[in-house]
Amino acid sequence: MTEPELVTQIHPLAQPALIVLAGATGDLGHRIAQHLLQRGARVRALVRPGNTKPAVETLRQQGATIVEVDFNDVGALTYACVDAACVVSAVSGLRDVIVDLQTRLLDAAVAAGVPRFIPSDYSIDFTKLPTGSNRNLDLRREFGQRLDGAPIAATSILNGMFMDLLTEQAPMVLFGVRRVLYWGSADQPLDFTTIANTAAFTAAAALDATTPRYLRVAGEVATVRGLQAAATTVTGRRFGRLRAGSLWLLKLMIQATRRLAPAPDEVFPPWQGMQYLHNMFTGAPKLAPLDNARYPEIRWTPLREVLATVP
């Protein structure tokens, strides 16, 4: 027996870390899986039985192990979590998902002896917000309390508003009229991060055994004036500002919209997005200190690059 063979027998070559990922067929989760694979991790993606989304086959072809599992069955989830270095959640939904499903996933991770858990937070700093100011973030706070009481190391990724939404569901930048829409002060610093950067950072954190309870990142911190300047630069046409009113008025609008169109079963009804903007413009959930430099290989996408993608 040669010396290298003997050494290998005495000290078996360490396998790449195994990360169990829930929510891998969503946009963010799919990107997290891809970044984990790029970093050499083994990925075990948990999907519901019969899931036929194209992302499932894509992940399988890229090297992820696809495991169909009943998310209501803690025993099945526990078996699916065996040998994982970290369980990462990127699920999306209301109480039945953010609190109930994630609690079962947490119980399974603990039962399987998984050392670390990353919950599906990916938001502004809800730890600084009063209860009742944002329904979806209240659910994350509630689950976070359960997570803090569990015998497992936890890390929440807080990343501000997804920058991608500025040109989609949260159109603060109004290209048609060349205005930046806002409430309150045009000088309030706001945190923005792309979905891609959030996924890359989450993947790095999942493979980092030394992460603290919270990590905060922002691809760019900008005021409304900064958004105005970025839009002007990328389009070559001057953008102005459109102040819709005070934060007090926005709060009244949220209450009225929620009363007229409650949509309690929708994850992102119109009033939910308004709550998020109200939170941001108060300045209360501002992310600080930022942990952008923790993984220096990540290049943070600036606002102007996202705005430049609008036709």
Side-chain angles (χ1 to χ4, degrees):
M1 181 179 294
T2 65
E3 184 176 344
E5 290 173 333
L6 179 61
V7 170
T8 299
Q9 282 197 0
I10 298 174
H11 302 289
L13 294 175
Q15 284 188 306
L18 170 63
I19 307 298
V20 168
L21 176 61
T25 60
D27 187 8
L28 175 62
H30 187 72
R31 293 172 190 245
I32 292 172
Q34 291 177 319
H35 280 285
L36 285 167
L37 291 167
Q38 289 169 12
R39 287 178 174 271
R42 292 179 293 147
V43 175
R44 184 182 294 160
L46 308 186
V47 302
R48 298 182 188 278
N51 189 321
T52 58
K53 290 184 178 179
V56 174
E57 185 56 33
T58 299
L59 288 174
R60 183 180 284 114
Q61 292 176 0
Q62 291 174 339
T65 299
I66 306 299
V67 176
E68 293 191 353
V69 62
D70 181 355
F71 281 87
N72 294 312
D73 186 340
V74 174
L77 286 170
T78 300
Y79 184 75
C81 289
V82 169
D83 294 331
C86 182
V87 169
V88 178
S89 176
V91 296
S92 177
L94 298 177
R95 171 172 296 279
D96 62 322
V97 175
I98 298 301
V99 178
D100 299 339
L101 185 155
Q102 283 200 121
T103 296
R104 292 191 294 273
L105 186 61
L106 171 62
D107 291 343
V110 171
V114 180
R116 301 175 58 243
F117 192 102
I118 295 178
S120 186
D121 288 337
Y122 316 114
S123 64
I124 52 181
D125 195 344
F126 56 83
T127 66
K128 300 177 181 178
L129 293 172
T131 300
S133 70
N134 189 307
R135 179 200 59 181
N136 288 5
L137 298 186
D138 284 347
L139 296 175
R140 283 159 171 75
R141 183 188 296 106
E142 181 179 344
F143 176 71
Q145 292 169 349
R146 297 188 184 191
L147 185 54
D148 288 337
I152 193 170
T155 296
S156 289
I157 309 298
L158 303 177
N159 50 261
M161 176 187 276
F162 284 136
M163 201 181 291
D164 317 60
L165 300 182
L166 286 172
T167 59
E168 298 175 4
Q169 292 101 315
M172 289 175 57
V173 183
L174 308 177
F175 285 87
V177 295
R178 299 202 299 278
R179 295 288 187 275
V180 177
L181 180 68
Y182 73 103
W183 286 265
S185 171
D187 296 309
Q188 172 59 50
L190 309 169
D191 297 312
F192 300 98
T193 312
T194 62
I195 298 173
N197 278 162
T198 301
F201 190 89
T202 301
L207 296 170
D208 177 1
T210 67
T211 53
R213 179 65 182 86
Y214 292 97
L215 287 171
R216 300 170 174 87
V217 294
E220 186 165 343
V221 180
T223 64
V224 167
R225 298 181 196 278
L227 282 169
Q228 177 188 3
T232 297
T233 298
V234 299
T235 63
R237 307 181 72 180
R238 190 179 185 284
F239 272 65
R241 298 186 300 276
L242 178 59
R243 187 176 188 272
S246 66
L247 290 174
W248 176 81
L249 176 60
L250 178 56
K251 190 170 185 178
L252 288 180
M253 291 172 62
I254 293 169
Q255 293 171 351
T257 303
R258 194 169 187 177
R259 192 173 298 115
L260 294 172
D265 297 328
E266 291 185 21
V267 179
F268 298 109
W271 55 265
Q272 172 62 53
M274 294 164 70
Q275 282 188 331
Y276 208 94
L277 288 174
H278 184 276
N279 294 154
M280 290 178 65
F281 278 111
T282 66
K286 179 74 184 66
L287 300 173
L290 292 178
D291 298 292
N292 287 34
R294 186 177 182 92
Y295 309 114
E297 68 276 15
I298 296 176
R299 175 189 175 274
W300 299 95
T301 304
L303 277 164
R304 64 180 181 276
E305 288 189 15
V306 173
L307 297 179
T309 63
V310 177

